Amino acid sequence: MVIAECVVVAFLLVLVWNLVASAAAQHAGAVTIQVAGPPAQGSDSPQPELPEPARPAGRVQLPGLTLDPGFWRVRLAQLNREQVGLEQLEWRLVHGAMDAAQRYLETVVLPAIVRAERA
C-alpha cells in the first residue's frame, strides 16, 4: 500500500512538473521583443513636432509617500516609544515565566525527587 502511494505521488509530481515547464515554455515563447529599426531611407514625411511636457519647478510628490523630514521624525519617535513599551512587556513576560518555572521546580519537582530518593 505504501509503495502504491509513493508511485501515485511520484506520478503526480512528474505531471505537475511537466505542466509547469510547458506553461513556462509557452509564456517564454509568447513574449517577443520587437526592436524598432531606423526609418526607411526614402521617407519624405517630416517627423511630427511634439511639444515637450512642462517640468515642475519643485520636487514631485509621489502618491502615498511623504518626504517631509518632520513627519518622519514624529512617526519614528512614536515607533520608538511603542518599541520600548513592547520590550518592557516582553521582559516582564519572560521573567515572570522564568520565576514561575523556578518556583515550580523548587516547590514541586525537587521535593518529589528528595522523597523518591529517601524511599
Side-chain angles (χ1 to χ4, degrees):
M1 188 68 155
V2 172
I3 293 172
E5 288 182 24
C6 289
V7 169
V8 169
V9 169
F11 174 73
L12 290 174
L13 286 173
V14 169
L15 179 68
V16 169
W17 182 267
N18 287 333
L19 288 174
V20 169
S22 65
Q26 287 176 357
H27 180 66
V31 176
T32 57
I33 299 174
Q34 296 179 353
V35 178
Q41 298 289 342
S43 176
D44 293 341
S45 63
Q47 293 287 334
E49 294 293 325
L50 298 175
E52 290 202 22
R55 294 184 183 222
R59 296 171 70 182
V60 176
Q61 180 79 23
L62 299 175
L65 182 61
T66 303
L67 300 175
D68 181 30
F71 170 81
W72 286 108
R73 247 184 253 115
V74 169
R75 295 294 177 249
L76 291 175
Q78 180 183 7
L79 180 66
N80 287 339
R81 279 193 307 272
E82 292 172 0
Q83 181 67 28
V84 167
L86 181 63
E87 287 175 1
Q88 289 173 350
L89 177 64
E90 288 174 348
W91 182 262
R92 285 183 285 182
L93 286 172
V94 168
H95 281 280
M98 286 175 44
D99 291 340
Q102 185 175 3
R103 279 193 308 272
Y104 177 76
L105 188 71
E106 291 172 353
T107 59
V108 176
V109 176
L110 291 179
I113 291 174
V114 170
R115 282 193 307 268
E117 287 178 349
R118 288 185 189 160

